[in-house]
Amino acid sequence: MVPVPTPETKPFWQGTREGLLRLQRCDACAHVYFPPRPFCPRCAGRAVTWFTASGRGSLYSYVIHHRPAPGFEPPYSIAVVELEEGPRLMTNIVECPQTPEALQLDMPVEVVFRTLTDEIALPLFRPAQTAVEVNP
Ligand SMILES: [Zn+2]
C-alpha cells in the first residue's frame, strides 16, 4: 500500500515530505500535469519544470468504502481532487465525515500530509478552512 518512489516521482515524494505539493509544468506549452513523467503528455516536450502547487482544489468525484483496508478505518473515501492548477489526483478526504452529505462534489479542499514512512508522506485533502477567525 505504501508508494515506492521512482526516478520520475522522486521529486514529488521529496516535496510531500517537506509539506509541499509539487507538480510539473511544460516549458513549451505550459501544460500542468500529474502524475510525474519526464515529458509533457500534451506536446511530448521534454523541457518540464517542477513547481510547488497551491495545494488547493475541489472535490471532483469520490467513492465511499465500507470494508476495512490496510491503514484505513471504514468508512473511508477514495476521492479524485481537481487541483487549482488543473491536474486531478486520487486521494482521500480527511477531517470530514465520510458521508455523501458531508462530501459535496465541487467543494473546496486543501492538501494535508500524512507521514507513512521515512520516505513517504501522502498528500490527503480536507475541506478548505475558509473562515478566518477575527478577534474583536
Ligand atoms: Zn507541453
Side-chain angles (χ1 to χ4, degrees), residues 26 28-31 40 42-45:
C26 174
C29 75
H31 182 54
C40 170
R42 179 178 285 171
C43 75

Side-chain angles (χ1 to χ4, degrees), residues 93-115:
I93 305 298
V94 295
E95 300 177 32
C96 173
Q98 305 292 290
T99 63
E101 291 71 32
L103 295 166
Q104 302 263 343
L105 291 183
D106 296 329
M107 74 178 187
V109 293
E110 63 188 16
V111 73
V112 288
F113 296 94
R114 181 179 295 169
T115 303

Side-chain angles (χ1 to χ4, degrees), residues 83-99:
L83 298 172
E84 207 170 64
E85 291 81 4
R88 292 174 188 159
L89 61 89
M90 188 96 87
T91 183
N92 303 110
I93 305 298
V94 295
E95 300 177 32
C96 173
Q98 305 292 290
T99 63

Side-chain angles (χ1 to χ4, degrees), residues 4-14 35-36 50:
V4 178
T6 63
E8 286 75 36
T9 62
K10 214 171 173 177
F12 177 78
W13 295 116
Q14 234 156 25
W50 284 96

Side-chain angles (χ1 to χ4, degrees), residues 25-33 39-48:
R25 182 188 287 122
C26 174
D27 293 350
C29 75
H31 182 54
V32 176
Y33 60 92
F39 58 90
C40 170
R42 179 178 285 171
C43 75
R46 291 200 161 260
V48 296

